[in-house]
Amino acid sequence: MVDVTLWGGLVPLADDQKTLSIEADTIRELLRKLQERYPALSGPIKNEVAVVIDGVIYRNDWSQRIPEGAEVFLMRRLAGG
Amino acid sequence: MSFDAAYQSQKLKSVGTRPLRPDGVDKVTGRARYGADFNMPGQLVARVLRSPHAHARIVRMDTGAAEALKGVKAVVTAADLPDLTNGDAELFAVLDNCMARTKALYDGHAVAAVAAIDERTAKQALKLIEVEYEILPHVVDVDAAMVADAPILNDELFTGGVDPKPDTPSNVANRAEFGHGDVDAGFAEADFIVERSYKTEQTHQGYIEPHACVASCNPDGTAELWVCTQGHFVFRQNCADLLGLEVSKLRVTSSEIGGGFGGKTHVWAEPVALALSRKAGRPVKLVMSRDEVFRASGPTSATSIDVKIGAKADGKITAAMATLRYSSGPYPGMWAELGAMTSFACYDLENVKTVGFEVIVNRPKVAAYRAPSAPMAAFAVESAIDELAQKLGVNAVELRIKNAAREGTKSSYGPVYGPIGIGPTLEAAQSHPHMSAPLGKNQGRGMACGFWFNFGGQTCSDLNVNADGTVALAVGTVDVGGSRASLSLIAAEELGIDYKDVKAVVADTATLGYNDMTDGSRGTFSSSMATISAARNAIAIMRARAALTWDIPVEDVYWEDGHAKAAGTKYGNLSPLSVRDIAAESGNTGGPIAGHSELVADGAGVSFATHICDVEVDPETGATSIIRYTVIQDAGKAVHPSYVEGQYQGGAAQGIGWALNEEYIYGADGRLQNSGFLDYRIPVCSDLPMIDTQILEIPNPNHPYGVRGVGETSIVPPLAATANAVSNAVGVRMSHIPMSPPRILAALNAERD
């Protein structure tokens, strides 16, 4: 089970919950289950999300494994210069 | 990702050396081809008609006289760029910015464009286009745009991120909050509190090369675009989306680039050039003038920031808070959010809260500028930290070291840090000779820290081993800072060949798979990973070819020092085969040899820097000279140290310009007053001393050589470092950037009064 923290903009799309518990081994599974539970998250997940696992930011690698007890955040994808 | 990107400690031969750059001769002899240097047969010249008003409804437009002018081949307006964005607000903003639809939203907003046989005719045609405007009230200041009776830019914009959702429109597009703990309780614990408001003015990235492209649409639905860009694959996608083209039929070639710094991550004029070419049936060249670059492309945000920091008498910070208001031009952005995320990222804080407000104003659409939004937030926070140090009577570096984030710190933007490099940069600053050098009369010293995220992204490269054993490396990230040299070093390292035997090129969109842009400090980080992967794939093929040549199992062939070698004693009489040997026989061992790689380069890791700045301020004129400047930053592994130093120095130079002189100045009419380099003063060589650099190499665990991105973080500390130095020199806290001579004199006079 993973506790995932959402950034503020996503909270209203997930029944106003800031932290959710999801059973997931990879980022892909996490995002799929989040969308199944909260369909309103589908839009942001498609284009706007980066996933932070234990402080490392993943923008694309949805195959990344989530270790047991890892700290997981959903962050907005960042702009860069 | 199948490629194992984990760091492996190893002795490196090519990486870390400083060979000449492969594009150097072309650049110093004028042969390098930039955006405006490309030409096609039958090419037309494009010019853009821009709004002279800051905010105006377009009531009527008549292009008839312009179209009738001899030599004019096409005139386009918003009608020629119909809305194909299918509800994508971000893409619609890009479209509307390229060509205003119902309203002109800033001075310089494009309203029509002409393609003609020459520039004179095109300019003449612009004068014949009749536009009837209904001038509307405007607002250009970030604070003024937030007040209740401010002119509203967009009646359909309601502030997001607030509860309940507002029912009246506002120029505040969004509110975003970050932090943890209880700041009220933290401030109640504090023995000392500093609280101050800061402002920074809007600046431009200041790339020397203006936006330029040549577009050619063919009757069969194919099109080509030659363009100066930081990301030709992204430009292809954006242009295809906006013009309804098939991605595979639009071929985009990136030119050499004379600076981008984030401003060339965005299409401004390219869709207009394509629309003109499609209408005229001929190639069209569109080159922005410097005036157009300033008025209508990519500045950064102007900001207004409040900071409050509390600490115990021993220097431990108990609470920190910031409210950040960032202008984003006339369309919503995420610039304040980035400022809110980065503002306190250098520190280990129990109680922290940041709130960002995105504010739309009648100024050009904001684009990323090198670690976007972080420099302004760092200016406010690092100024307050310095003031706190003075209040506490402690050394400014020691206060920062005492409160610095470390492995295990919960960052102010949420996640817990892994191994990070702020501590080593601060400790290096503390022991740097610069920190203890004596200062003269009217001189002051300042220092500051900075943070940026860095990222990787989708990346693809091809490595072809030629018949003579030399290597052609095709990458898809535009070379903005010497990456062709760095990537050639990487290929040479992996293959065990000489740097001079590798030739790296930036491939066009038809010849290589998709690549994200060169932004987020990702160019060398990502493409080096793809190059390593491609080289290792090529080595696997060369081992197989050697095995065929020797007629032994491939498992018995290993690669070492640029040679295939037979393992064990049973093949003792087989001489190792070099890349050249294997390549020479490739025609008879299976054909061409190449290694390809397609991967996602994640795990870039966050980045920190510490800068030290000495200034001398003339108390009579308020003019500031930079006397000495030092940049200390972690590169993970400096692939080509000269270009790492160049990135550090370039970021510092841009930040110093921002701190001391650069600013967009608007008149009461909402028109930009200084859209040229004479009136918008960027630093030139004679303004700056040689900027000293210290490269720290703490390996990134998520890159085979330990490489980190280095392109952006160096612009984060300079605003604050310079402001702290000036404040220390004049004895007055400077809270408004840029600290131009009149602003410093005003502060000194206010203090004297």
Side-chain angles (χ1 to χ4, degrees):
Chain A
M1 193 67 79
V2 179
D3 288 336
V4 53
T5 305
L6 309 183
W7 90 77
L10 294 186
V11 172
L13 307 178
D15 286 350
D16 290 328
Q17 295 185 76
K18 189 168 171 51
T19 305
L20 303 161
S21 291
I22 304 277
E23 187 77 46
D25 291 330
T26 64
I27 293 177
R28 184 172 291 101
E29 187 179 2
L30 169 72
L31 297 180
R32 185 176 67 241
K33 288 184 173 173
L34 274 173
Q35 291 175 82
E36 285 168 5
R37 199 184 294 180
Y38 304 106
L41 289 175
S42 297
I45 283 176
K46 190 176 176 195
N47 295 318
E48 298 173 26
V49 165
V51 181
V52 189
I53 302 174
D54 289 335
V56 180
I57 301 169
Y58 297 93
R59 291 170 22 118
N60 296 98
D61 185 9
W62 285 180
S63 300
Q64 190 65 39
R65 297 198 73 77
I66 304 174
E68 189 65 35
E71 185 207 47
V72 181
F73 273 79
L74 257 56
M75 245 172 61
R76 275 186 70 160
R77 287 172 70 90
L78 306 167
Chain B
M1 183 167 58
S2 57
F3 174 66
D4 179 13
Y7 171 68
Q8 294 168 312
S9 179
Q10 59 185 305
K11 190 168 166 44
L12 301 169
K13 290 180 180 170
S14 294
V15 167
T17 62
R18 301 171 183 250
L20 292 176
R21 61 194 304 159
D23 47 319
V25 171
D26 280 353
K27 284 182 174 166
V28 299
T29 57
R31 289 194 186 96
R33 292 204 297 173
Y34 290 87
D37 293 329
F38 188 72
N39 294 294
M40 293 182 78
Q43 172 182 292
L44 303 172
V45 176
R47 299 300 299 163
V48 177
L49 184 67
R50 299 184 180 278
S51 167
H53 307 297
H55 194 194
R57 199 175 310 285
I58 301 168
V59 178
R60 186 184 64 85
M61 195 180 314
D62 186 347
T63 59
E67 284 165 311
L69 183 69
K70 190 178 176 189
V72 170
K73 301 298 178 185
V75 179
V76 298
T77 65
D80 299 283
L81 284 159
D83 181 8
L84 306 175
T85 60
N86 198 25
D88 181 335
E90 202 174 324
L91 192 60
F92 179 80
V94 174
L95 174 70
D96 192 60
N97 187 59
C98 284
M99 192 61 75
R101 314 190 87 69
T102 55
K103 285 207 295 186
L105 291 166
Y106 57 91
D107 165 39
H109 199 166
V111 297
V114 170
I117 53 168
D118 56 31
E119 185 169 355
R120 184 171 163 275
T121 309
K123 283 182 173 173
Q124 204 179 343
L126 292 188
K127 291 180 183 162
L128 296 175
I129 298 174
E130 291 177 28
V131 188
E132 184 186 335
Y133 293 103
E134 175 196 347
I135 297 173
L136 302 169
H138 69 272
V139 60
V140 296
D141 180 77
V142 63
D143 289 321
M146 293 181 74
V147 301
D149 60 350
I152 295 295
L153 272 71
N154 182 348
D155 291 333
E156 294 174 9
L157 184 70
F158 299 86
T159 307
V162 293
D163 191 25
K165 194 176 174 187
D167 53 12
T168 53
S170 167
N171 293 326
V172 181
N174 196 53
R175 177 188 185 280
E177 183 177 323
F178 297 88
H180 53 260
D182 181 341
V183 287
D184 292 334
F187 284 122
E189 273 182 56
D191 297 319
F192 295 92
I193 291 177
V194 293
E195 192 169 10
R196 192 178 287 277
S197 296
Y198 303 86
K199 288 202 85 156
T200 68
E201 295 300 330
Q202 186 156 38
T203 57
H204 196 272
Q205 294 85 344
Y207 27 83
I208 302 304
E209 185 192 6
H211 299 277
C213 68
V214 175
S216 179
C217 289
N218 301 319
D220 62 359
T222 61
E224 285 189 69
L225 182 68
W226 167 278
V227 61
C228 177
T229 171
Q230 288 177 245
H232 44 318
F233 292 90
V234 173
F235 271 37
R236 177 183 64 171
Q237 187 67 52
N238 287 344
C239 289
D241 288 345
L242 294 176
L243 282 109
L245 299 170
E246 280 182 42
V247 168
S248 61
K249 290 185 177 173
L250 175 58
R251 182 178 189 177
V252 183
T253 304
S254 63
S255 68
E256 292 288 352
I257 181 168
F261 316 111
K264 290 173 184 168
T265 60
H266 193 295
V267 294
W268 308 103
E270 297 78 7
V272 175
L274 282 161
L276 283 167
S277 174
R278 182 163 65 182
K279 199 163 183 177
R282 285 169 63 170
V284 171
K285 177 183 277 194
L286 197 162
V287 181
M288 277 192 182
S289 66
R290 181 60 57 189
D291 173 79
E292 289 178 296
V293 169
F294 273 111
R295 287 169 69 207
S297 78
T300 187
S301 303
T303 74
S304 159
I305 302 171
D306 307 326
V307 176
K308 183 178 178 183
I309 304 176
K312 303 291 282 184
D314 67 359
K316 180 68 186 164
I317 295 174
T318 57
M321 203 163 82
T323 303
L324 308 100
R325 297 164 288 268
Y326 280 50
S327 67
S328 62
Y331 310 101
M334 63 173 297
W335 310 114
E337 191 167 344
L338 288 173
M341 291 170 84
T342 58
S343 45
F344 289 107
C346 290
Y347 297 105
D348 181 15
L349 302 169
E350 266 183 50
N351 306 295
V352 58
K353 178 180 173 182
T354 59
V355 180
F357 293 97
E358 315 289 348
V359 186
I360 63 169
V361 294
N362 294 113
R363 292 186 182 220
K365 186 177 191 293
V366 163
Y369 181 13
R370 213 169 185 167
S373 301
M376 307 83 125
F379 159 62
V381 167
E382 291 294 292
S383 294
I385 293 277
D386 238 43
E387 198 172 348
L388 180 66
Q390 285 163 359
K391 211 166 186 174
L392 290 166
V394 300
N395 177 282
V397 190
E398 284 169 17
L399 177 66
R400 286 175 170 89
I401 290 174
K402 186 178 182 72
N403 291 285
R406 52 184 63 84
E407 186 169 1
T409 291
K410 184 172 177 58
S411 69
S412 56
Y413 60 91
V416 172
Y417 287 125
I420 54 173
I422 183 170
T425 68
L426 280 166
E427 284 148 19
Q430 193 177 32
S431 58
H432 197 287
H434 183 169
M435 201 53 106
S436 53
L439 288 167
K441 193 181 172 192
N442 298 322
Q443 294 183 355
R445 174 168 300 138
M447 56 85 58
C449 303
F451 162 92
W452 181 243
F453 291 102
N454 289 352
F455 51 76
Q458 298 181 69
T459 316
C460 182
S461 72
D462 283 351
L463 186 151
N464 290 291
V465 180
N466 300 315
D468 62 356
T470 61
V471 166
L473 177 65
V475 300
T477 45
V478 172
D479 179 358
V480 301
S483 63
R484 276 168 294 186
S486 300
L487 298 173
S488 297
L489 283 169
I490 294 271
E493 185 74 52
E494 279 295 318
L495 296 169
I497 61 176
D498 197 280
Y499 165 80
K500 292 196 293 293
D501 288 337
V502 182
K503 173 72 176 170
V505 298
V506 179
D508 67 59
T509 60
T511 53
L512 196 64
Y514 176 84
N515 280 261
D516 285 335
M517 292 183 286
T518 301
D519 66 345
S521 302
R522 71 174 289 273
T524 298
F525 169 78
S526 305
S527 276
S528 68
M529 222 185 268
T531 300
I532 292 168
S533 170
R536 290 179 183 176
N537 290 334
I539 287 170
I541 293 171
M542 288 191 283
R543 281 177 54 233
R545 300 296 176 88
L548 275 176
T549 304
W550 288 324
D551 205 16
I552 66 173
V554 69
E555 296 77 25
D556 287 350
V557 181
Y558 66 100
W559 193 263
E560 186 179 69
D561 291 336
H563 291 78
K565 297 180 179 176
T569 53
K570 61 182 172 180
Y571 305 121
N573 60 344
L574 293 175
S575 297
L577 294 175
S578 67
V579 174
R580 198 175 297 265
D581 296 333
I582 298 168
E585 295 300 321
S586 60
N588 299 111
T589 57
I593 298 168
H596 308 282
S597 176
E598 304 83 29
L599 52 76
V600 163
D602 262 333
V606 296
S607 170
F608 296 90
T610 296
H611 291 199
I612 313 165
C613 173
D614 291 356
V615 299
E616 182 170 317
V617 182
D618 182 339
E620 301 300 319
T621 64
T624 300
S625 305
I626 303 290
I627 305 300
R628 185 173 179 181
Y629 200 100
T630 302
V631 178
I632 303 162
Q633 189 177 321
D634 177 16
K637 177 66 196 173
V639 178
H640 191 307
S642 298
Y643 299 145
V644 173
E645 290 162 1
Q647 291 290 343
Y648 291 3
Q649 292 162 330
Q654 286 186 309
I656 290 166
W658 194 340
L660 292 181
N661 285 304
E662 296 177 39
E663 90 179 276
Y664 269 45
I665 297 169
Y666 279 88
D669 57 2
R671 291 180 185 169
L672 183 61
Q673 303 292 301
N674 58 335
S675 56
F677 278 138
L678 280 178
D679 299 315
Y680 179 98
R681 180 76 161 78
I682 65 170
V684 296
C685 284
S686 55
D687 290 325
L688 298 174
M690 185 66 184
I691 291 168
D692 192 14
T693 58
Q694 185 174 347
I695 301 172
L696 305 184
E697 293 191 326
I698 303 163
N700 177 1
N702 301 310
H703 186 283
Y705 296 168
V707 170
R708 297 179 193 276
V710 296
E712 295 175 287
T713 310
S714 53
I715 202 173
V716 183
L719 280 64
T722 311
N724 288 336
V726 172
S727 299
N728 290 334
V730 301
V732 181
R733 175 55 52 184
M734 298 303 299
S735 58
H736 194 163
I737 293 280
M739 297 168 292
S740 54
R743 212 164 265 145
I744 288 178
L745 274 187
L748 286 173
N749 289 336
E751 186 74 4
R752 286 171 193 143
D753 295 343

